[in-house]
Amino acid sequence: MSKYKRKGKSKFIMIEAYVKRSAAWKALTPIERCAYLELKWRYDGMNNGYIGLGCRELSDELNMGRDTAKRALNKLLEVGFINKQKPSAFSLKNRAVTEWRLTEYRCDVTGELPTKTFMRWEPKKKQQAHPSDTQAHPSYCDQEKKGRKAPYRSTHAPVRAISLVSQAHPSDTYRYTIGGSADCSLDTQDHIAEVGN
């Protein structure tokens, strides 16, 4: 019997540091991580490639729907944490669940060394908007230079309000607020007289 065989109360789940730090692990949702832990819990050191787990059983273990369980297993398969060693077969004579292999360990079915496919997985880069979507078309700028009205004008400077009504001069506002005369010449003469006195 292998010295890595774990049974009884001594069984535990170990997650290597490089697995936790990988981009594939960080891309997993909490549900997908629980699915991974459920698969790893069933690994006893000698059955990698024989780990049987179906969507129905996983949904019962994690208390979630079968579709959610199926998506979680598909995500683990996509990022490379697991491989499908034997597909499920439900017939009148044979009701076998899917058998999985954890890629971080040697396969006990074929003897293949660990592939660790998840370490080569990289997230897809987000697509940025094309520059033509954010800038004005050159033909519009040419039309503006020629004095013609363009159908579209991009705003690169602050928009100034256009008012047809002229605003009052600050001195006018001051006079009316204080209660002075509207006649500028009289106010000026009174001011000069006060200063002279």
Side-chain angles (χ1 to χ4, degrees):
M1 181 178 292
S2 172
K3 63 179 180 179
Y4 299 107
K5 185 91 172 172
R6 307 186 190 106
K7 284 189 175 182
K9 297 180 180 179
S10 62
K11 187 173 182 180
F12 63 93
I13 300 176
M14 181 176 67
I15 300 178
E16 299 284 353
Y18 74 92
V19 175
K20 189 177 182 301
R21 289 195 299 262
S22 65
W25 177 264
K26 294 178 181 178
L28 298 179
T29 64
I31 292 177
E32 292 159 357
R33 292 180 183 182
C34 289
Y36 168 81
L37 294 177
E38 184 62 33
L39 275 167
K40 199 161 187 179
W41 175 256
R42 295 163 185 260
Y43 172 62
D44 61 9
M46 297 180 63
N47 65 339
N48 197 24
Y50 298 107
I51 305 173
L53 182 64
C55 296
R56 182 194 301 269
E57 191 174 359
L58 180 61
S59 64
D60 292 340
E61 289 290 339
L62 300 183
N63 193 22
M64 59 186 180
R66 293 181 192 175
D67 291 339
T68 306
K70 183 177 180 180
R71 286 193 297 268
L73 290 173
N74 287 338
K75 181 66 176 182
L76 293 176
L77 187 62
E78 175 190 338
V79 299
F81 278 106
I82 58 176
N83 280 338
K84 188 181 290 186
Q85 194 68 31
K86 181 181 177 182
S88 60
F90 290 97
S91 61
L92 295 176
K93 296 182 179 180
N94 184 17
R95 295 183 63 84
V97 297
T98 306
E99 294 181 350
W100 304 93
R101 172 200 171 190
L102 298 168
T103 60
E104 60 185 295
Y105 301 117
R106 184 183 67 86
C107 181
D108 294 316
V109 177
T110 63
E112 183 182 0
L113 295 176
T115 59
K116 301 179 181 179
T117 312
F118 58 91
M119 293 299 295
R120 297 187 293 274
W121 182 87
E122 293 181 358
K124 295 180 181 179
K125 295 181 180 179
K126 295 182 179 179
Q127 295 182 352
Q128 297 182 351
H130 194 275
S132 62
D133 296 338
T134 57
Q135 298 179 357
H137 195 276
S139 62
Y140 297 157
C141 299
D142 295 340
Q143 291 179 8
E144 290 181 357
K145 290 179 181 178
K146 295 178 182 178
R148 288 179 289 182
K149 187 175 181 181
Y152 170 79
R153 180 175 181 178
S154 59
T155 304
H156 297 286
V159 179
R160 297 179 180 178
I162 301 175
S163 176
L164 300 177
V165 181
S166 60
Q167 297 181 353
H169 193 272
S171 61
D172 298 337
T173 306
Y174 175 78
R175 280 198 309 275
Y176 289 123
T177 304
I178 302 304
S181 172
D183 190 353
C184 181
S185 60
L186 294 176
D187 287 346
T188 306
Q189 292 175 2
D190 294 341
H191 179 67
I192 293 172
E194 290 177 1
V195 173
N197 294 334

